[in-house]
Structures are given as structure tokens and as C-alpha cells.
Amino acid sequence: MTPAGTRLVKILLTGALPIVGLALLGGLMRGPVWGWAVAALGFLLVVVMQTRRLLMLSAWLDDPDRSASPDAGGAWGEVFLKLARKLRHDALSLAELEAGLRSFREAMDAVPDGLVILDANHQIQWSNRAAGDHLGVRLPRDAGAIIEQLVRTPGFAEYLGSPDGHAPFILQAPAARTRVYAVRAVPLGEKSKLLVSLDVTDARRVEAMRSTFVANVSHELRTPLTVVSGFLEHFTDDGLMTADQRQHFARLMSDQTKRMLSLVDDLLTLSRLESEDAPASEEDVAMDELLAQLLAEAQSLSEGRHAIETSCDGPSLRGNRKELHSAFGNLVSNAIRYTPAGGDIHIEWQRRAGGGAFCVRDSGVGVAAEHLPRLTERFYRVDRGRSRDTGGTGLGLAIVKHILLRHQATLVINSQVGKGSTFRAEFPGWRLPSAR
Ligand code: ADP
């Protein structure tokens, strides 16, 4: 028998049969009226009981306790039990669904690109956290808002309205206009759109730096090349040039060629420093020897125009000798080039509690405070003419900065216009042998 048939038999046996039996008994003993009266009473009782259970079911469904169903007994008990089981199962599925949705939202919020779903009327349906920073779209505040009314950058509405599949729209951050985003609209389903915004600030900055750099290098090379080519024309055109004049022009050409060579050398040094993360080799560099070498070079560059002193406190510094020599040499040569004749220059290696410092102090022209943060930028010069006249390439301090960075050191500059400057390279303690 099917489960439904078994249940019917059960209901007949427990409900209808006893009533029919009692009614027959009543009818036989007291006549048919009694029989009908007993049957009517019995069925009334059954209806009252069923109604009571129906009310129980209704009350329970209004506020179902999923862990326990009401004890209704019989076939009703089974119904309650099954309903309670189903409700438990549904609640579990709903909790799973909610957990899935939550982790999906968290994942979308972790994506660094901004995402916004728009319907056919460009009304915001959903967005992630990055869209808040990029486009100023924040949920739930902006749900249903029209995106063009939030992002009011000129051209954005036209971009959204134009056919799909074109280049991204370049947008500046709505709040602080310091960041730049590339926004692309991708078709989603029939009529919706997905806006994807990408932070391209750094890429654009690098691109701008690259083109400025190329322009600077071209400019730096163009000037000496123009001079050299002009002199060369004189050499070929003017057969009447005296030997002295020839010698003079040759010397000027040689100066310009040297300038180009030192520019190319500095460019190669910078490029090598940038392409490697760390120096190829390191050793304990004897600072007294290095200072003696720097002093000799400084004296040769100064040609007796400056009073140069050195002082050395501490034995050695761990690092790449060639790179340290190049960085310190640049600082020393700057001190000489930017200090008028008769000035003082002090070169020292100091040992301190937290590490060591290589310091070059001069009594030269000094640098105004507003220039200090930009001094280590490539080709940044306070006085272009003076830099050129003294053989500068505008790359010296950029090289110094790179080398110090590779040695975990920092450059501290103090300067006063007309009084002089101090350039101090501060090294961490672990680069000093005894402190290791
Ligand atoms: P440059 O080849 O022009 O000297 P650097 O990168 O070495 O290039 O220096 C950048 C600029 O910093 C210089 O042009 C100069 O204006 C300034 N500067 C560097 N060192 C000194 C110094 N000791 N005194 C004054 N100005 C300095």
C-alpha cells in the first residue's frame, strides 16, 4: 500500500470507524434517531478537533519555532514535523546563500578597480568600494541615482551615450583632483552596463616623467652638438683661419665633447643603478683611505681656490666601494663648484649612536628652502648657467640619491642662501662594522 493509502486507513481506523461503530451501537440499542445523533456528535467532535489543529498550524506558521514543532499527534503531528523539517532546510539554504553573497561582496570590495552596474537608464544598481574613491559612487546612498548626475566631468555623459567598444574615458578624481582614472563601459546583458574604473595615476606619472626625461636629455645633448657642428662648419668653410683661432675652436669643441661625454656617463650610471636593486658586491670600505682619495680629488678640482679639510671618526663603512666613492665624490665636487674662491669646505665621516654620517659642509652660494625638496630630481638645477659653466650635468644628486637608497641611507640637506650648505648622508648602524 502507498504511504497515502496507509495514512487513509489510519485516519479511518482512528477517527471515522469508532464514530460509525458507536453510531451503529446507539442505533441498535436505542433506535435510528439515537444512532444519527451519536454519529452527528462524533463528527462534530472530529471537526472541532481538526479546527483546533488548523488554528495551531496557523499560529505556528505565523511564528515558527524551527527547532521544535507543536505536538499535535496523529496525521497532524506528521504534517507539523514535515513542515518543521522543510523550514529548517530552507533556513539553512538561505543562510548559505547569504554567506555566499557576503563573501562575493567582500571579494568585490577588495578589487582595486571600481565597478558600477548601470541599468538601461544609467541608474546605479550596484557598486563596489573602489567606485566610491574613483567615481564618488557610494551605496546605499546612490542606489538608483543616474551616474551622469554624480560624475559631472565634461564629456563623460557623451562617452556613456556613444556606441561601445571605444577607448577608455580619462577622468580625474572627483574629490582631490590628484589621481587619474581610466573608465571603460562594458555592455552587460541586454541593456545594462558595467563601468570599470582603473587607477592610472602612477602609469601616467611615469609616462610624463619618461617624456620629460627624453626631452631633457635631447635638450642637454642638442646644445653642445649645435656648438660643435657650428665650429666644424667654420673649420671647413674658412680657409683663412689662423692657427691660434683653430686651436681656440678646437679647445671649445673639446670642452663641449667632454660635456656630452660626462652627460652620457651620468646617464649610463643612472640607468645601471635603476636596473639593479642592490650593489653587486659589498665590502668594509676603509673611510680614512676613501676620505684621503676624496681630498686629493677635491684639491685637484679646486686648484687651490678653497680651504679644504677632512676629519674621520670611525674605521669603515659596509657598502659597495665604487658606488660610495661616486656618491661622496659628487657631493664633494658640488661643494667646490658651488663655493666661490676663498671659501671653506669640510669633508667628514662621523660616527653616531644610531649609525654613521658622511658630511660635506661648504661656505658657498647655498640653496633657497623652496628648491631643497626638488634638488635630487634629474636635471633640476637652481642656477642652470652656473651648473653648466662648472661642468654639471644636473644628474649628480639623482645619482647620489639612488646610491644612498641602495645602501639604506638618507640624504639630509641644510642650506642657507649666501651662507653655505651641508649635505649629510646618514647610514644605518648595521653598516658600521663594530655595531653589527
Ligand atoms: P649639477 O650637475 O647641476 O650640479 P646636481 O644634481 O649635482 O646637478 O645638483 C642639482 C642642483 O643642486 C645644482 O644645479 C645646484 O643648483 C644645487 N646644488 C647642489 N649642490 C650644491 C651645493 N653644495 N651648494 C649649492 N647648490 C648646490
Side-chain angles (χ1 to χ4, degrees):
M1 201 182 290
T2 61
T6 323
R7 220 167 292 135
L8 184 68
V9 169
K10 235 189 205 172
I11 290 170
L12 285 175
L13 284 174
T14 54
L17 279 184
I19 296 171
V20 172
L22 277 174
L24 281 176
L25 200 69
L28 282 176
M29 287 172 66
R30 298 263 187 145
V33 176
W34 270 94
W36 285 115
V38 168
L41 206 70
F43 280 113
L44 187 69
L45 206 71
V46 168
V47 169
V48 168
M49 277 167 66
Q50 299 298 335
T51 311
R52 202 184 128 248
R53 278 162 183 164
L54 259 177
L55 290 172
M56 257 169 94
L57 174 66
S58 165
W60 184 66
L61 282 178
D62 280 345
D63 181 20
D65 176 2
R66 293 186 191 99
S67 57
S69 56
D71 183 15
W76 278 101
E78 241 177 82
V79 170
F80 276 114
L81 244 141
K82 281 190 178 157
L83 268 174
R85 213 174 296 144
K86 173 109 182 68
L87 282 174
R88 262 200 307 275
H89 178 262
D90 286 356
L92 230 75
S93 312
L94 198 70
E96 274 171 16
L97 214 69
E98 276 173 358
L101 201 66
R102 209 175 310 122
S103 51
F104 174 74
R105 279 210 192 110
E106 279 167 11
M108 288 300 106
D109 279 341
V111 171
D113 304 336
L115 300 169
V116 183
I117 295 177
L118 302 176
D119 68 6
N121 303 317
H122 294 180
Q123 283 184 303
I124 296 162
Q125 302 296 298
W126 173 87
S127 69
N128 70 347
R129 192 173 296 149
D133 301 332
H134 296 190
L135 307 167
V137 175
R138 287 188 207 283
L139 291 185
R141 185 194 68 187
D142 299 325
I146 293 175
I147 188 82
E148 288 95 325
Q149 289 175 358
L150 280 179
V151 181
R152 291 181 168 272
T153 309
F156 181 66
E158 289 75 18
Y159 169 80
L160 275 190
S162 59
D164 305 306
H166 38 58
F169 180 79
I170 300 298
L171 181 103
Q172 291 221 307
R177 296 192 166 268
T178 47
R179 303 207 73 79
V180 186
Y181 303 101
V183 185
R184 195 182 281 276
V186 186
L188 193 69
E190 284 280 296
K191 290 182 176 158
S192 302
K193 276 189 176 108
L194 174 68
L195 280 191
V196 185
S197 61
L198 226 91
D199 190 337
V200 291
T201 318
D202 293 341
R204 283 174 79 88
R205 203 173 287 153
V206 168
E207 178 51 28
M209 269 167 65
R210 193 195 62 81
S211 61
T212 313
F213 181 67
V214 170
N216 274 327
V217 172
S218 314
H219 179 75
E220 293 292 330
L221 284 173
R222 201 171 198 312
T223 317
L225 272 174
T226 313
V227 176
V228 172
S229 93
F231 288 152
L232 279 175
E233 267 172 36
H234 268 296
F235 267 101
T236 46
D237 289 354
D238 201 343
L240 300 172
M241 203 184 280
T242 63
D244 276 357
Q245 280 173 321
R246 275 176 185 274
Q247 215 169 20
H248 175 66
F249 282 143
R251 208 169 32 250
L252 289 176
M253 278 197 286
S254 159
D255 287 349
Q256 295 301 327
T257 316
K258 274 190 200 136
R259 196 174 135 188
M260 284 189 279
L261 271 175
S262 61
L263 178 66
V264 171
D265 278 348
D266 278 358
L267 283 172
L268 286 174
T269 306
L270 255 186
S271 135
R272 187 178 48 76
L273 289 172
E274 277 176 347
S275 62
E276 301 159 8
D277 287 339
S281 63
E282 290 194 355
E283 61 191 281
D284 286 338
V285 180
M287 287 306 284
D288 50 350
E289 280 173 26
L290 186 55
L291 252 65
Q293 202 175 346
L294 288 169
L295 176 66
E297 286 162 6
Q299 278 163 342
S300 136
L301 199 65
S302 159
E303 291 174 333
R305 287 173 294 134
H306 306 93
I308 310 170
E309 274 179 14
T310 59
S311 65
C312 184
D313 164 28
S316 59
L317 168 66
R318 181 106 195 133
N320 182 284
R321 188 174 209 289
K322 206 168 151 217
E323 290 188 10
L324 291 176
H325 185 187
S326 159
F328 298 162
N330 262 305
L331 295 180
V332 172
S333 103
N334 278 355
I336 291 166
R337 288 168 44 232
Y338 297 104
T339 302
D344 302 319
I345 288 156
H346 198 95
I347 308 165
E348 54 187 348
W349 169 242
Q350 306 163 335
R351 230 187 143 103
R352 311 153 144 224
F358 175 83
C359 191
V360 181
R361 224 170 25 207
D362 66 53
S363 59
V365 295
V367 182
E370 74 259 28
H371 296 292
L372 291 181
R374 299 195 59 190
L375 281 196
T376 56
E377 282 177 26
R378 299 155 176 189
F379 296 115
Y380 189 86
R381 290 138 154 162
V382 179
D383 180 347
R384 191 165 283 269
R386 187 178 188 116
S387 160
R388 287 235 179 88
D389 294 347
T390 54
T393 59
L395 296 172
L397 288 183
I399 292 174
V400 171
K401 188 181 90 173
H402 264 286
I403 293 175
L404 294 190
L405 210 69
R406 287 150 71 89
H407 287 81
Q408 298 74 42
T410 43
L411 182 66
V412 182
I413 311 171
N414 288 305
S415 192
Q416 257 185 304
V417 178
K419 294 215 163 147
S421 316
T422 305
F423 285 74
R424 200 170 60 245
E426 294 180 346
F427 291 84
W430 60 268
R431 285 205 168 268
L432 280 75
S434 57
R436 269 187 275 139

